[in-house]
Amino acid sequence: MTIVQPIQIQVAQKVFESWDKIGVNGRAEKLLNTLVSFSNEEKKMAAWQINNAQKEIAETRVMPGPTGERNELSNQGRGPFLCMSFVESGKAKVGLVGQVFTALIAGNPVITVGPIGQEIMDLISPFVPEGVIQNIAESAQDSLIEANHLAGIATLCDPMQAQLLSQRLAAKGGLICQLIEEVDSENLSVIAKPHYLLRFVTERTVSNNTTAIGGNATLLELGSMND
């Protein structure tokens, strides 16, 4: 049986690889241009998330390994993220802005919900490739939550809503969908932490066996010259 994905998921999947490939600094350059239209608190939140990503995940790290082997650790986005809020307040909107910018700077396309999500999308979309950020009506929210290829949901909610949503996602088929909840909508204590970003990415390791590529051949050549 073929499952038809919501059009927003299809669009997000098409743009995901190209958005992720430009890297943290490439995405930061585009996202920083959007900040002029946000309120002061929203701007501070968005700028902090961008700066944190540049510090934490922008560079590929070379890991220790045996002689003749080079191991590199980097991060990449997870895929389409749904960013939404069950809470309506000025602080909650700041939190929602934080969620959206964290998901975007991590390399994920974002889908927002309702009028507030539309406001945020309208300020960002002129500066990023088409499809990187989209918006849906609140009536379409359930179909997005059930979509098999949704990589994660970032939400502001109370603990009971978080529990119910977690159970709902656990019962889904397809891709494992990450739930990233903020239940402190007044202080935003989760969103404001440096490691919050890491829930929006997945690690990627690349191992190069340089000895196999040329080291052994060089040693053999030197040995034959001595003969």
Side-chain angles (χ1 to χ4, degrees):
M1 177 181 174
T2 302
I3 299 174
V4 178
Q5 295 295 323
I7 186 64
Q8 293 84 3
I9 295 291
Q10 296 178 41
V11 170
Q13 285 181 305
K14 287 179 181 178
V15 76
F16 170 43
E17 185 176 357
S18 59
W19 179 242
D20 188 53
K21 268 188 174 180
I22 66 174
V24 171
N25 291 324
R27 294 190 292 271
E29 185 178 350
K30 296 180 182 299
L31 293 174
L32 286 169
N33 289 328
T34 73
L35 300 187
V36 65
S37 300
F38 284 91
S39 72
N40 191 46
E41 277 195 86
E42 294 164 3
K43 186 185 301 183
K44 286 180 179 177
M45 170 62 80
W48 189 87
Q49 297 294 350
I50 294 170
N51 183 56
N52 184 53
Q54 289 179 300
K55 289 179 180 177
E56 297 292 331
I57 65 170
E59 293 192 14
T60 298
R61 301 182 184 182
V62 178
M63 308 297 288
T67 301
E69 184 174 295
R70 179 182 176 88
N71 298 300
E72 296 177 343
L73 176 66
S74 60
N75 294 276
Q76 63 183 50
R78 289 179 174 268
F81 261 83
L82 181 64
C83 293
M84 61 186 192
S85 177
F86 291 101
V87 182
E88 293 185 8
S89 69
K91 273 286 190 181
K93 188 181 177 187
V94 172
L96 184 57
V97 168
Q99 290 177 334
V100 169
F101 273 85
T102 305
L104 288 172
I105 193 64
N108 307 291
V110 164
I111 301 164
T112 61
V113 179
I116 295 178
Q118 182 72 48
E119 288 177 27
I120 295 171
M121 188 199 85
D122 288 344
L123 298 180
I124 295 173
S125 58
F127 301 93
V128 299
E130 186 176 357
V132 165
I133 185 165
Q134 305 172 77
N135 180 261
I136 57 166
E138 291 174 353
S139 59
Q141 180 175 294
D142 284 343
S143 67
L144 261 293
I145 292 173
E146 296 299 328
N148 282 358
H149 294 288
L150 184 67
I153 297 176
T155 182
L156 284 96
C157 58
D158 63 38
M160 180 59 71
Q161 289 167 329
Q163 183 179 9
L164 292 173
L165 190 52
S166 180
Q167 292 171 348
R168 185 175 177 184
L169 296 182
K172 280 178 55 177
L175 185 70
I176 294 176
C177 187
Q178 173 93 345
L179 177 63
I180 307 172
E181 70 272 26
E182 171 60 89
V183 297
D184 183 4
S185 58
E186 184 61 31
N187 299 307
L188 305 175
S189 55
V190 172
I191 294 175
K193 291 180 179 176
H195 64 260
Y196 176 70
L197 166 74
L198 300 181
R199 301 181 67 183
F200 291 83
V201 298
T202 184
E203 291 184 341
R204 173 173 53 193
T205 58
V206 177
S207 181
N208 294 308
N209 189 335
T210 55
T211 300
I213 293 169
N216 288 340
T218 303
L219 289 172
L220 287 170
E221 184 181 357
L222 289 171
S224 66
M225 288 173 66
N226 289 333
D227 291 342

